């Protein structure tokens, strides 16, 4: 049986072998729900009790009563330091360190600068909402093109993405991956979108074998920075809630 490291950096380009324990999942959900509810409370205090009663997986039932896009920029979905510190003490972190060696969690980054604090952020994907998911892409496109083309990270490091579903319906929503795609070269160009240069693929990615990976809540996907991946439109009944963490690892590890 291949190790996590062999799966992520070998022929597969990803692994689905790590899952949170039941206690870890409960704790992770609580940390994210706290920020979600606090954001709603500040913007729409009249909706606080309804949101608390519905819970995050039923957020879509509430979304029509607020400005979804305005309320949830990425900055509103990055967990505060106290929550990140709590997560770093969870057992799954030790599992990842045993697999990949010591790592840092990438700090909060926009196209222009680092912000210092470690970045753990979450995403809401409502049923049937295509605007809630991103197209197929490779993380390294962003890593290399940000910071005026000088890149997000110094030479001599590699990254592994942790994608973690907190609420999901296997086979109906989640993340799609293209197995083995990290072994190929995918071309891209930069395009000005809303005043920000963003990488877009030159290649036709419509028929590259992207496959929705069925995941239970807490069953994370680990993949390297060159693996093609993207969200899929939520075909389920509930809001999908997922978390993303980027591990920064020495290239010699």
């Amino acid at each position: 049986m291949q190790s996590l490291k062999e799966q992520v950096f070998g022929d597969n380009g990803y692994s689905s072998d790590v899952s949170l324990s039941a206690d870890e999942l409960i704790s992770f959900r609580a940390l994210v729900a706290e920020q979600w509810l606090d954001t709603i409370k500040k913007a729409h205090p009249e909706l606080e009790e309804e949101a608390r009663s519905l819970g995050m997986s039923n957020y879509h039932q509430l979304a029509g009563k607020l400005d979804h896009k305005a309320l949830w920029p990425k900055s509103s979905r990055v967990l505060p330091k106290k929550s990140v510190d709590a997560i770093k003490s969870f057992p799954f972190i030790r599992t990842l360190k045993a697999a990949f060696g010591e790592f840092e969690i990438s700090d909060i980054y926009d196209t222009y600068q680092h912000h210092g604090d470690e970045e753990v952020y979450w995403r809401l994907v409502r049923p049937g909402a295509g605007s809630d998911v991103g197209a197929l892409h490779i993380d390294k496109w962003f890593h290399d093109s940000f910071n005026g083309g000088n890149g997000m990270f110094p030479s001599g490091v590699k990254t592994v993405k942790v994608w973690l579903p907190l609420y999901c319906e296997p086979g109906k929503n989640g993340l799609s991956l293209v197995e083995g795609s990290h072994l190929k070269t995918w071309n891209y160009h930069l395009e000005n979108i809303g005043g920000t240069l963003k990488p877009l693929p030159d290649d036709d990615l419509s028929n590259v074998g992207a496959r929705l990976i069925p995941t239970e809540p807490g069953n994370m996907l680990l993949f390297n920075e060159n693996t093609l991946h993207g969200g899929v439109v939520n075909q389920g009944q509930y809001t999908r809630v997922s978390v993303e963490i980027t591990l920064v690892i020495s290239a010699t590890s």
Side-chain angles (χ1 to χ4, degrees), residues 96-245:
L96 297 182
K97 287 187 175 182
F100 300 110
E102 288 296 321
F103 56 76
E104 296 180 354
I105 294 176
S106 174
D107 61 354
I108 300 167
Y109 200 94
D110 59 25
T111 54
Y112 307 107
Q113 63 181 330
H114 288 271
H115 294 277
D117 294 328
E118 294 166 311
E119 182 181 77
V120 178
Y121 68 97
W122 46 274
R123 184 186 297 268
L124 298 163
V125 179
R126 297 163 292 173
S131 60
D132 288 355
V133 296
L136 281 174
H137 66 279
I138 289 172
D139 284 349
K140 201 167 191 307
W141 293 347
F142 293 87
H143 297 172
D144 290 348
S145 60
F146 280 6
N147 190 22
N150 292 315
M152 288 174 60
F153 303 112
S155 60
V157 300
K158 55 189 176 183
T159 67
V160 172
K161 173 65 68 66
V162 179
W163 181 87
L164 170 61
L166 299 181
Y167 294 96
C168 64
E169 297 165 87
K172 295 183 178 180
N173 53 40
L175 196 71
S176 63
L177 294 169
V178 181
E179 186 172 342
S181 55
H182 62 300
L183 302 175
K184 303 178 183 179
T185 298
W186 305 94
N187 300 307
Y188 71 94
H189 65 279
L190 298 178
E191 191 168 311
N192 191 316
I193 300 176
T196 300
L197 287 176
K198 293 188 176 181
L200 295 175
D202 291 331
D203 302 302
D204 179 6
L205 302 182
S206 61
N207 193 28
V208 294
R211 180 171 67 93
L212 173 63
I213 309 298
T215 49
E216 298 283 348
N219 178 199
M220 64 190 72
L221 296 177
L222 310 169
F223 52 93
N224 78 64
E225 60 193 8
N226 288 303
T227 297
L228 271 171
H229 63 282
V232 297
V233 176
N234 183 353
Q235 303 294 334
Q237 301 180 55
Y238 301 99
T239 295
R240 191 202 90 195
V241 184
S242 57
V243 169
E244 295 180 40
I245 309 171

